[in-house]
Amino acid sequence: FLFIRTIMPNRKAAVFGLDGITFDLLQPWLDEGRLPNLARLLAEGAGGPLRSTIPPVSASAWPSFMTGTNPGQHSVIDFTYPAPDGYDVRVSNGRTRAVPAIYEFAGAAGRQVGVISLPMTEPPQPVNGFMLCSFLTPSQESDYTYPQSLKQELLDACGPYPMRMSEKGRGVDPGVFVRACKQLEIDRAKSVLYLLREKPWDLFIYILETTDNLQHEIWHLVDPTHPLHDPAMAARVLPDILDYYEMVDRLLGEMLALVPADALTVVLSDHGFGPFHKFFHINNWLAQNGWLAFKRTPVSLLKRAAFRLGVTPINALKALTALRLSDVRKNVKRGRGGGVLRRAFLSFNDVDWARTKAFSVGNFGQVYLNVKGQRPQGAVDPAEYEALRDAIITAAKALRDPEDGSQVVPVVYRREEVFQGISAARLPDLVLHTDRAKYVSFGHADFGSNKVIEPSLGQTGHHHMNGVLGLRGPGVRAGARLEGARLVDPTPTILHYLGLPVPRYMDGRVLTEAFTDEFNAANPVVTSDIGPGDGFGGDAVFSDAEEEQVLQKLRDLGYVA
């Protein structure tokens, strides 16, 4: 950061992220006047769709926003990833990121920053201002603020800042779940409003998370074309859903009222949302094609035989749910005693890595090749690397849903097609990008199901590529429609607005079309040659116990099996 300098007046910027929101869902409500604060911001400023990253998962997308780079630079590909030199599945965190974030640039330039609930910042780090983490904080007892004293200050002034999504009603009564999401955001907003009012800041970032969690669960209720749509249930729950979004808009309005009139305000989402119908279990498909092999020990052979007969975690969940054994069900779902579950069910413990050529870890089609010289039991000779990738691509594109013949994987990306930068070598060799209107790839660490393609369990909505972007403030072109904006663009744009140079290594660009000709003429874009990296990036921060607590959260949300 030695070369950072101020090149423009000392401006302020406030960023409000609404995780996963999409015009596909919100536009009718915007038109009906149900969301007046968001509608006013979009009308008075510049806005349009915002293209997410590949893969469009919050764990990777928010780092792309905060760094202005693709995952090949910042390195965070999903909530979990395989150890670069082995097969252990690790949990991403704030130290997995390999390049600086926007708040670090701003802080190094002397600007006061405030960062609240920005995913993938856990555990909290020293900043020139304050930080409050949430999503992957292991527990309420963990340190989740910087400075550490802020935790008690907020407890005294605002009450607890909820760390964990409530599971009330989840999978049973969506109305109860919607109301639980609403209460969580009301409780969190007390601290957000307090910090906006009471603390100095030049750059303020707050991410509202439950929009994503909610949409995973209720999409079939707002989408009459979804195969699981239940008109009676939809009629009962829709008032609660509308009340939730109207509450989010009201809270947004209260926060916007505390942003100075001469500041830039940005509202965005990290990805869009839409329906999905079925899971594509990649590791089962890889095994079916002979690219993933299992051990031939008596225990593994027995577990595999049971797996074929349907002895799987997902079927166990179904049975426990049907029997209303909620306490036992929670232990299976959350993986408490994960070692016991891995011993009971087929898992990565049963994979014969010396005979395995490809495996998947992650939620969005990530496939890693087990290359000799890169992993300890590599089974792929470097000379056959390209041939193997070609074979997997051909087979993936040929895969059809046996129910109706639909193509499951229309696009496959090679690593170098989507990931470029200092971290690219540790990222997946292939990404099987499914038809996100119907299928979601699910490459879990353990084998949750014995199917290759099967209807989803619990979730009916998932991440799509197009989110939302809106900007408002002095110099912003009122009513401008932004086309072609990408998630990596807001950070260069905000840095430029704050009067800071934009690093040349960033993949994003300054959205000059969002500003007036007069503003652009008076404020030419200035870049810097600072390099990426500089000591960032790591593979461990949480203790084993904390990592298991984080994995429990991810299981609750359906991101790992």
Side-chain angles (χ1 to χ4, degrees), residues 343-361:
R343 288 192 293 272
F345 297 104
L346 192 71
S347 73
F348 266 22
N349 290 352
D350 301 292
V351 171
D352 185 344
W353 296 110
R355 294 190 301 119
T356 288
K357 293 190 173 186
F359 62 99
S360 180
V361 174

Side-chain angles (χ1 to χ4, degrees), residues 124-140:
Q125 65 186 86
V127 294
N128 187 34
F130 60 88
M131 175 177 282
L132 194 168
C133 301
S134 65
F135 184 37
L136 295 186
T137 297
S139 72
Q140 204 78 37

Side-chain angles (χ1 to χ4, degrees), residues 7-9 11 102 111 264 489-503 509-512 515 519-527:
I7 56 176
M8 295 182 197
R11 300 192 181 102
I102 183 173
R111 307 301 176 82
L264 175 70
D489 295 334
T491 274
T493 303
I494 296 165
L495 285 175
H496 172 61
Y497 196 91
L498 290 174
L500 301 176
V502 177
R509 65 180 181 86
V510 176
L511 295 169
T512 54
F515 301 102
F519 180 90
N520 288 329
N523 301 288
V525 176
V526 176
T527 59

Side-chain angles (χ1 to χ4, degrees), residues 186-205:
I186 290 172
D187 293 340
R188 284 187 172 182
K190 298 173 186 176
S191 294
V192 179
L193 293 167
Y194 173 86
L195 292 168
L196 270 168
R197 282 193 312 265
E198 303 297 330
K199 302 295 182 182
W201 56 267
D202 299 298
L203 173 64
F204 185 92
I205 302 173

Side-chain angles (χ1 to χ4, degrees), residues 469-480:
L469 175 64
L471 303 93
R472 182 179 68 185
V476 176
R477 190 188 303 272

Side-chain angles (χ1 to χ4, degrees), residues 89-342:
V89 176
R90 294 180 175 170
V91 177
S92 301
N93 55 64
R95 283 296 178 230
T96 311
R97 175 172 48 83
V99 297
I102 183 173
Y103 53 82
E104 291 166 313
F105 280 113
R111 307 301 176 82
Q112 293 282 320
V113 302
V115 182
I116 306 175
S117 292
L118 178 58
M120 311 315 296
T121 53
E122 302 83 2
Q125 65 186 86
V127 294
N128 187 34
F130 60 88
M131 175 177 282
L132 194 168
C133 301
S134 65
F135 184 37
L136 295 186
T137 297
S139 72
Q140 204 78 37
E141 288 69 44
S142 304
D143 290 332
Y144 56 82
T145 66
Y146 177 86
Q148 199 171 37
S149 60
L150 182 62
K151 179 179 178 179
Q152 190 61 50
E153 180 182 344
L154 291 175
L155 282 170
D156 293 341
C158 311
Y161 189 86
M163 288 291 116
R164 193 184 193 102
M165 268 293 303
S166 171
E167 284 200 273
K168 290 181 179 178
R170 190 166 198 155
V172 179
D173 188 332
V176 172
F177 181 69
V178 173
R179 293 190 291 275
C181 290
K182 174 183 175 181
Q183 189 59 52
L184 181 142
E185 293 303 346
I186 290 172
D187 293 340
R188 284 187 172 182
K190 298 173 186 176
S191 294
V192 179
L193 293 167
Y194 173 86
L195 292 168
L196 270 168
R197 282 193 312 265
E198 303 297 330
K199 302 295 182 182
W201 56 267
D202 299 298
L203 173 64
F204 185 92
I205 302 173
Y206 169 56
I207 310 301
L208 188 147
E209 298 170 338
T210 58
T211 39
D212 180 289
N213 308 139
L214 182 74
Q215 289 166 181
H216 277 298
E217 300 293 318
I218 56 87
W219 200 270
H220 63 295
L221 299 177
V222 297
D223 180 2
T225 68
H226 198 285
L228 296 181
H229 183 69
D230 180 340
M233 179 69 77
R236 181 173 72 82
V237 179
L238 187 58
D240 288 312
I241 295 172
L242 290 172
D243 181 60
Y244 165 85
Y245 282 98
E246 290 168 351
M247 175 276 304
V248 167
D249 187 78
R250 285 195 300 274
L251 293 179
L252 178 63
E254 292 178 30
M255 294 171 193
L256 293 176
L258 296 175
V259 176
D262 59 353
L264 175 70
T265 300
V266 180
V267 172
L268 56 80
S269 59
D270 56 329
H271 52 73
F273 237 90
F276 98 100
H277 303 170
K278 298 181 180 182
F279 277 128
F280 166 38
H281 295 282
I282 301 181
N283 282 319
N284 292 349
W285 176 76
L286 291 170
Q288 188 180 80
N289 282 276
W291 293 311
L292 186 150
F294 294 97
K295 295 175 182 176
R296 295 161 176 160
T297 63
V299 171
S300 291
L301 288 170
L302 180 63
K303 288 166 69 176
R304 192 150 183 235
F307 179 76
R308 292 193 191 99
L309 294 172
V311 180
T312 68
I314 284 181
N315 283 338
L317 281 176
K318 291 177 180 176
L320 293 170
T321 300
L323 294 171
R324 298 186 178 276
L325 299 176
S326 57
D327 290 339
V328 181
R329 178 185 184 274
K330 184 178 292 186
N331 286 338
V332 173
K333 181 179 180 185
R334 293 185 176 176
R336 288 178 176 160
V340 175
L341 290 176
R342 285 191 289 274

